[in-house]
Amino acid sequence: MPTTKERVLSELMAQQGAWVSGEQFSSQLGISRSAIWKHINALKNDGHEIQSAPKKGYRLQRTADRMLPEAIAATLTTQRIGRNILTCLEQTDSTNVEAKALAAQGAPEGTVVVAESQNQGRGRRGRTWFSPAGRNIYTSIVLRPILSPAQAPQITLMTGVAVAKTLVRFASLEAKIKWPNDILIHGKKIAGILTEVSTDMDMVDHVVVGIGINVNISAQEMPKDIQQTATSVRMATGMHHCRVALLCALLDQFERSYNRLKSSGFPAIMAQWRRMSDIIGQPVYVDVMDKRYQGVVATVDDDGVLILKDASGGTHRIFSGDVTRLRKE
Ligand code: BTN
């Protein structure tokens, strides 16, 4: 159930900058005009720019670009994802850690954690994920899919498709997926996915899908070691973007892709994945633990396994690893 503050913001957003009178507000929301005034002040304190004028009422000039629950709730278009519990934190160690704790306490599928910043943002293979405040998206989603542990990577690959599609649709970017789950724009990383699986006997109990998207960060704000290899939506488009709108577009696309996985099966997701991949047919090397394989990527099959052909005609089926392209675009 949205709070009254969320409903006030929703109504202002629905008016798209037009005036809403105090009477209109109080009859729609069933609360007094002084209560409306109190909620408007609270929204202003959160950083939303709201104009008020006698006889006219209120109008929203600009929403705060902050990950506030009422702004997200007012924009969200999903049925389940983000509808039950949406925890928005100013700062946390890692949204994955928070979401895992909620899942362990029984949080339902679709629970979402969002943070403004993370002080121990985690990447794949024990790496860190740079997570400064106010610039990017850091979110984790709890799922409870009916899958065996061996099938759990389906969720990671499905998420890659959802993130790439979101960037194509939201910002007209040519987003590509590097196996298994890096999202790239012209070869530079814009988003990463960290999936953590918890099993119960021989089935998955829950999966926490962590997604980080570089949104408004500039190259100068990034640590030196990633300045050449990372990008952001702003760097790629030349424009500042509303993080709340992008998060809601992401959750919407994520729900669609997850529903598709459940209704049409994993091969349908893999067909989309291959269309968005930037490595099929490319010479690469793949680091798997302490071993390096070199060759051309023949495909990523319907089980999400990377099929690599080496120079001597050998075929390698690779289940997980780090891919590096040998020829740059
Ligand atoms: C990678 O490419 O290495 C994966 C990066 C995943 C980063 C996200 S940000 C939200 C969530 N919380 C974390 O600590 N990590 C993931």
Side-chain angles (χ1 to χ4, degrees):
M1 270 291 280
T3 63
T4 310
K5 191 166 107 179
E6 282 167 13
R7 290 168 65 213
V8 170
L9 183 65
S10 260
E11 185 52 32
L12 285 168
M13 287 172 83
Q15 295 300 320
Q16 301 185 323
W19 291 97
V20 192
S21 72
E23 282 106 300
Q24 205 178 325
F25 255 139
S26 34
S27 68
Q28 263 170 9
L29 303 181
I31 53 169
S32 68
R33 290 178 65 175
S34 67
I36 299 286
W37 181 81
K38 206 181 81 200
H39 289 297
I40 294 278
N41 276 343
L43 289 167
K44 284 184 183 171
N45 281 340
D46 288 341
H48 301 289
E49 287 175 29
I50 301 168
Q51 208 182 350
S52 33
K55 299 212 172 77
K56 287 181 171 171
Y58 306 98
R59 72 172 178 179
L60 181 65
Q61 290 179 300
R62 205 154 61 137
T63 48
D65 188 23
R66 291 187 56 212
M67 298 304 214
L68 296 165
E70 60 276 9
I72 298 170
T75 317
L76 204 59
T77 49
T78 55
Q79 300 289 314
R80 288 197 68 185
I81 303 289
R83 290 289 172 190
N84 292 318
I85 307 179
L86 208 156
T87 311
C88 300
L89 305 161
E90 255 326 284
Q91 198 191 52
T92 181
D93 298 352
S94 152
T95 54
N96 267 32
V97 171
E98 292 287 343
K100 282 201 293 182
L102 290 173
Q105 290 159 24
E109 172 154 285
T111 299
V112 172
V113 178
V114 180
E116 275 292 347
S117 69
Q118 303 182 117
N119 54 23
Q120 282 175 48
R122 296 152 57 177
R124 285 175 66 229
R125 302 176 163 255
R127 295 181 191 124
T128 57
W129 187 257
F130 181 59
S131 312
R135 293 282 183 269
N136 302 328
I137 289 175
Y138 319 109
T139 186
S140 299
I141 306 165
V142 175
L143 296 180
R144 296 188 179 277
I146 302 169
L147 293 175
S148 68
Q151 291 170 315
Q154 293 184 5
I155 300 292
T156 307
L157 290 144
M158 177 281 285
T159 304
V161 170
V163 176
K165 275 191 166 190
T166 303
L167 293 170
V168 171
R169 291 184 178 164
F170 183 87
S172 305
L173 288 170
E174 273 182 58
K176 297 281 176 202
I177 314 172
K178 191 183 83 169
W179 184 84
N181 56 4
D182 285 348
I183 310 300
L184 309 178
I185 306 292
H186 302 301
K188 292 192 173 184
K189 185 154 167 174
I190 195 162
I193 298 157
L194 177 67
T195 312
E196 297 187 71
V197 183
S198 165
T199 54
D200 182 15
M201 308 281 277
D202 49 2
M203 286 305 278
V204 167
D205 178 68
H206 64 262
V207 178
V208 167
V209 185
I211 305 168
I213 305 181
N214 296 334
V215 185
N216 290 320
I217 193 157
S218 65
Q220 296 87 313
E221 290 169 307
M222 290 180 185
K224 286 255 174 317
D225 59 331
I226 60 167
Q227 279 182 359
Q228 301 304 315
T229 54
T231 188
S232 70
V233 184
R234 182 178 175 180
M235 285 160 71
T237 59
M239 277 166 63
H240 182 278
H241 291 267
C242 171
R243 289 178 303 147
V244 169
L246 178 52
L247 172 74
C248 291
L250 169 69
L251 297 179
D252 187 80
Q253 184 56 56
F254 183 88
E255 183 168 88
R256 285 169 198 273
S257 297
Y258 186 47
N259 286 344
R260 185 168 176 124
L261 172 65
K262 287 193 283 187
S263 63
S264 309
F266 191 48
I269 298 293
M270 281 315 297
Q272 295 181 330
W273 192 98
R274 282 189 287 270
R275 283 198 288 278
M276 304 195 91
S277 159
D278 86 328
I279 57 158
I280 294 174
Q282 297 298 321
V284 299
Y285 62 80
V286 190
D287 291 317
V288 183
M289 314 276 244
D290 51 357
K291 213 166 168 208
R292 178 166 285 187
Y293 299 88
Q294 189 161 329
V296 171
V297 178
T299 191
V300 175
D301 72 13
D302 275 353
D303 294 320
V305 178
L306 185 138
I307 312 293
L308 189 79
K309 297 259 186 219
D310 67 24
S312 50
T315 301
H316 304 271
R317 285 171 55 77
I318 303 178
F319 292 84
S320 77
D322 255 345
V323 176
T324 305
R325 276 178 62 161
L326 287 169
R327 204 171 46 216
K328 290 280 172 227
E329 287 175 290

